[in-house]
């Protein structure tokens, strides 16, 4: 019960499975903004949860979604653990799988 | 500096409360909301040449206090509700033929009963200030889970809860393209745009919900359909006004919604009129900035559209001048010009020509040429 009063750490660590890259996320910040702030070439376009370009797979850990992913991701993708980095706030240390070479430009 | 940066965004909460008090005091005070709108237009016009950048400390951190600004935005929901309640109270008095006499409450004198003329003033005042709910509904629609519902509820007070989804999933993605109903193509006037944009965004929201529910194997005719739910959020307003004044109440609420939605669409119109995006990501050049000082503070920086559309996750107090296309005047001043379509077209032509020459890509120029014939 006392866990309820325990304050979570100020930073969480993010590890990427396909590389040895890791970076910290300040409590309350989004995964994407922290990645870009750390110089990680994370694919993105709209940053408001509508294009799906920043999607990645949560392998381990917890995040808090800021918007409903169901408008952009399929049910199967959500069930496989896919999330939108721009709309995900880590709630623990996390491990994520993301294709950093996904930088093709398209209108949608 | 911190105090100044945070207090300057409190103009709308302060003036909204004055407009509410005006309706409560009654008599010609019911027109105070209209008078404030006119006063703001004058201030905006007189200060149109003052443009200030966002304020950051030496380490690059913003002076904005997130908890304070969020508290204010959340506080605006009951303020906008109060705006409708006081109007309904006046409609109730009008319908009951309450005698127009000076009364007193807690030592304050007010006019009980209301004339038809002053009821019109109260209705227009409510509509104008309800329309400003867009600036909070818009800010809370981005990236902020707890605020998203508040955004929906604020917009529902104007019968426009669909806006929250359409703005994020349609406008931000399709900006400057024909798929975005909120981007006005060249030649369209504000009156046509208000109707087409409103209906287009509502239609988009319905299709978005239909697709989301069909992924789950559910029908669109479902209480979980957030397009339907959004309109249901507007039901308390309808019930209140029907109860307060029957047909008069319905006419008043309809007027409030028309005025409020017209202001909402006017902001969309002014933010992107005539700008074109062919392919690739949204860039600064795909929006018009309106960042004269009064517009920036009054509209909580919603006029910094160029930066906002590239950094949609950024809080309003951190948005900055990015040297994008700029009309050079604020929203109030420009709004008056847009109301006279020939005048607006004449005014905006040189800015569009400049955009075509300085900002447009080769493909965007080709599309622009089609509009000039």
């Amino acid at each position: 019960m006392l866990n309820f009063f325990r304050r979570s750490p100020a930073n969480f660590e993010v590890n990427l499975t396909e590389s040895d890259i890791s970076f910290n996320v300040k409590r309350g910040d989004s995964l994407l903004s922290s990645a870009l702030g750390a110089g990680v070439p994370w694919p993105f376009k709209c940053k408001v949860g509508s294009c799906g370009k920043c999607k990645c797979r949560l392998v381990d850990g917890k995040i808090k979604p800021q918007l409903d992913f169901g408008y952009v991701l399929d049910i199967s993708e959500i069930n496989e653990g896919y999330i939108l980095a721009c709309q995900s706030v880590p709630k623990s240390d996390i491990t994520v799988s993301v294709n950093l070479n996904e930088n093709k430009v398209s209108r949608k | 500096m911190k105090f100044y940066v945070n207090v300057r965004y409190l103009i709308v909460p302060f003036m909204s409360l004055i407009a509410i008090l005006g309706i409560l005091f009654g008599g010609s005070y019911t027109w105070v909301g209209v008078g404030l709108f006119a006063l703001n237009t004058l201030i905006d016009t007189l200060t149109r040449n003052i443009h200030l950048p966002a304020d950051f400390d030496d380490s690059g951190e913003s002076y904005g206090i997130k908890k304070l600004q969020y508290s204010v935005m959340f506080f605006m929901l009951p303020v906008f509700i109060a705006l409708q309640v006081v109007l309904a109270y006046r409609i109730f008095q009008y319908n009951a033929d309450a005698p127009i006499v000076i009364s007193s409450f807690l030592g304050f004198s007010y006019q009980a009963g209301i004339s038809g003329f002053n009821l019109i003033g109260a209705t227009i005042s409510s509509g104008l200030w309800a329309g400003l709910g867009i600036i909070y509904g818009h800010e809370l629609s981005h990236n902020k889970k707890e605020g998203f519902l508040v955004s929906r509820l604020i917009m529902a007070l104007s019968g426009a809860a669909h806006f929250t989804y359409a703005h994020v999933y349609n406008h931000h993605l399709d900006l400057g393209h024909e798929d975005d109903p909120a981007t006005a193509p060249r030649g369209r006037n504000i009156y046509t745009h208000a109707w087409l944009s409103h209906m287009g965004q509502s239609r988009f929201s319905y299709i978005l919900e239909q697709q989301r529910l069909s992924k789950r194997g559910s029908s669109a005719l479902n209480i979980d359909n957030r397009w339907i739910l959004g309109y249901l959020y507007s039901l308390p307003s309808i019930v209140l006004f029907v109860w307060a004044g029957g047909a008069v109440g319905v006419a008043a609420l309809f007027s409030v919604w028309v005025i409020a939605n017209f202001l909402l669409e006017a902001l969309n119109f002014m933010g992107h009129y005539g700008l074109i995006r062919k392919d690739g990501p949204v860039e600064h050049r795909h929006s018009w900035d309106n960042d004269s000082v009064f517009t920036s503070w009054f509209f909580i920086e919603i006029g910094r559209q160029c930066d906002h559309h590239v950094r949609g996750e950024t809080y309003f107090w951190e948005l900055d001048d990015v040297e994008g296309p700029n009309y050079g005047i604020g929203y109030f001043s420009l709004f008056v010009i847009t109301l006279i379509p020939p005048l607006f077209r004449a005014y905006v032509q040189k800015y569009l020509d400049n955009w075509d020459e300085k900002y447009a890509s080769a493909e965007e120029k080709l599309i622009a040429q089609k509009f000039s014939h």
Side-chain angles (χ1 to χ4, degrees), chain B residues 2-229:
Chain B
K2 203 162 197 166
F3 177 80
Y4 150 75
V5 166
N6 286 281
V7 165
R8 68 191 186 191
Y9 297 122
L10 301 181
I11 302 172
V12 171
F14 180 67
M15 288 192 176
S16 299
L17 291 173
I18 293 176
I20 288 170
L21 284 175
I23 296 170
L24 279 176
F25 278 116
S28 51
Y29 286 118
T30 58
W31 289 87
V32 160
V34 181
L36 285 173
F37 204 83
L39 175 69
N40 293 333
T41 305
L42 179 67
I43 297 171
D44 192 48
T45 305
L46 293 174
T47 57
R48 67 189 179 280
N49 292 324
I50 305 173
H51 300 265
L52 299 175
D55 289 297
F56 299 96
D57 64 18
D58 292 340
S59 63
E61 289 292 315
S62 166
Y63 289 108
I65 303 170
K66 184 179 168 186
K67 280 186 180 165
L68 171 68
Q69 295 303 338
Y70 265 69
S71 301
V72 171
M73 288 193 282
F74 281 39
F75 168 71
M76 289 308 289
L77 175 60
V79 169
F80 289 125
I81 291 172
L83 199 57
Q84 292 204 340
V85 170
V86 294
L87 177 62
Y89 157 70
R90 284 301 183 183
I91 291 167
F92 180 80
Q93 288 188 325
Y94 178 80
N95 235 30
D97 277 333
I100 300 174
V101 290
I102 301 297
S103 294
S104 176
F105 180 73
L106 297 175
F108 291 98
S109 296
Y110 71 98
Q111 193 179 81
I114 189 167
S115 66
F117 177 72
N118 287 333
L119 185 61
I120 291 172
T123 304
I124 299 174
S125 290
S126 292
L128 289 173
W129 290 89
L132 293 166
I134 168 69
I135 62 179
Y136 302 102
H138 169 260
E139 179 69 19
L140 291 170
S141 72
H142 286 295
N143 290 22
K144 298 110 188 177
K145 186 167 188 172
E146 291 76 13
F148 200 80
L149 177 63
V150 178
S151 165
R152 295 258 287 158
L153 294 175
I154 288 176
M155 300 311 295
L157 287 168
S158 301
H162 65 268
F163 164 85
T164 310
Y165 284 100
H167 181 79
V168 173
Y169 294 102
N170 188 188
H171 182 55
H172 269 261
L173 193 61
D174 295 321
L175 180 72
H177 191 270
E178 61 190 2
D179 290 346
D180 175 28
T183 299
R186 296 179 191 194
R188 184 188 285 176
N189 68 54
I190 192 171
Y191 305 101
T192 307
H193 180 71
W195 172 251
L196 292 178
S197 180
H198 178 91
M199 297 308 290
Q201 288 177 72
S202 183
R203 181 174 175 272
F204 175 90
S205 297
Y206 177 76
I207 293 169
L208 185 75
E209 276 305 295
Q210 198 179 31
Q211 289 171 345
R212 181 181 71 88
L213 290 167
S214 90
K215 281 183 196 173
R216 293 171 22 178
S218 304
S219 156
L221 292 173
N222 189 326
I223 193 63
D224 198 26
N225 182 325
R226 292 164 187 165
W227 180 82
I228 295 173
L229 206 55

Side-chain angles (χ1 to χ4, degrees), chain A residues 2-3 6-7 37 42 48 51 61 66 68 79 91 95 99:
Chain A
L2 289 175
N3 282 345
R6 192 174 294 160
R7 202 163 167 75
W42 199 291
V48 293
C51 73
Q66 299 298 291
D68 186 344
N79 290 339
K91 288 288 160 192
T95 304
N99 181 4

Side-chain angles (χ1 to χ4, degrees), chain A residues 26 28 33 44-51 64-75 86-87 105-108, chain B residues 142-146 148 165 168-169 172-174 177 179 208-209 212 215-216 226 277-281 310-313:
Chain A
K26 205 168 106 187
S33 64
F44 73 94
K45 196 173 121 186
C46 74
K47 293 185 179 176
V48 293
S50 58
C51 73
K64 182 180 180 186
Q66 299 298 291
L67 285 180
D68 186 344
F69 298 154
Y71 290 106
V72 178
L73 304 177
D74 292 331
I75 297 282
C86 71
Q87 298 301 318
V105 173
S106 62
R107 193 183 63 77
K108 287 197 176 183
Chain B
H142 286 295
N143 290 22
K144 298 110 188 177
K145 186 167 188 172
E146 291 76 13
F148 200 80
Y165 284 100
V168 173
Y169 294 102
H172 269 261
L173 193 61
D174 295 321
H177 191 270
D179 290 346
L208 185 75
E209 276 305 295
R212 181 181 71 88
K215 281 183 196 173
R216 293 171 22 178
R226 292 164 187 165
R277 184 169 67 94
K278 175 64 177 150
D279 288 307
V310 171
R311 299 191 301 148
E313 81 289 7

